[in-house]
Amino acid sequence: MHSRRFTGRDLDILQILWNASDSMTALEIVKQHPELTMNTVQAVLRKLLKEGLIKINRIVYSGTVLSRSFASVISPEEFVILQMKENVKDIDTVNKKAFVTALFEDETDTENTIKEIEEIELMLSKQKELLKSKM
């Protein structure tokens, strides 16, 4: 993924593809979301394709015309992680402890938060062992 910022429309189209049960043509996206124009959808699909965030899943008939059907190649979680990495890569000092702490500050579901923290602790333990083995 290139170092780019994504517009609201870019994110709208990604969200539509993430929520779809199957790949979609530009026309299907417009029919499902009439607030979007065909020109906008096609421009955004070209951009997302160029960025490697979506793929042409297959060629399908749309009426009597062959059309490209698009699918996301990245999950919403992977997209958020890539965006976070892009946003902090130019910052020399990133305090990882403060960052992780900030992610949990406003959590209200205590039980779920404890579960997530335990999963992170396990992941960090495995990462620590992996790093030690490389020393």
Side-chain angles (χ1 to χ4, degrees), residues 44-106:
V44 169
L45 289 171
R46 280 191 302 273
K47 177 182 176 183
L48 297 175
L49 197 57
K50 181 179 176 185
E51 292 293 328
L53 297 175
I54 65 172
K55 67 178 180 177
I56 298 169
N57 196 43
R58 62 183 182 264
I59 305 297
V60 297
Y61 274 101
S62 180
T64 59
V65 179
L66 285 173
S67 298
R68 297 176 298 169
S69 181
F70 299 91
S72 176
V73 297
I74 187 170
S75 72
E77 294 82 11
E78 292 167 325
F79 179 78
V80 169
I81 291 167
L82 285 173
Q83 283 299 104
M84 288 184 347
K85 285 180 177 180
E86 279 292 317
N87 290 331
V88 299
K89 78 176 187 179
D90 295 327
I91 301 172
D92 292 333
T93 314
V94 176
N95 184 327
K96 292 176 180 77
K97 289 188 302 186
F99 181 74
V100 171
T101 300
L103 292 174
F104 290 104
E105 278 179 350
D106 297 327

Side-chain angles (χ1 to χ4, degrees), residues 14 27 37 40 43 54 76 93 100 129 133:
L14 278 171
L27 182 60
T37 67
T40 298
I54 65 172
T93 314
V100 171
E129 291 303 316
S133 72

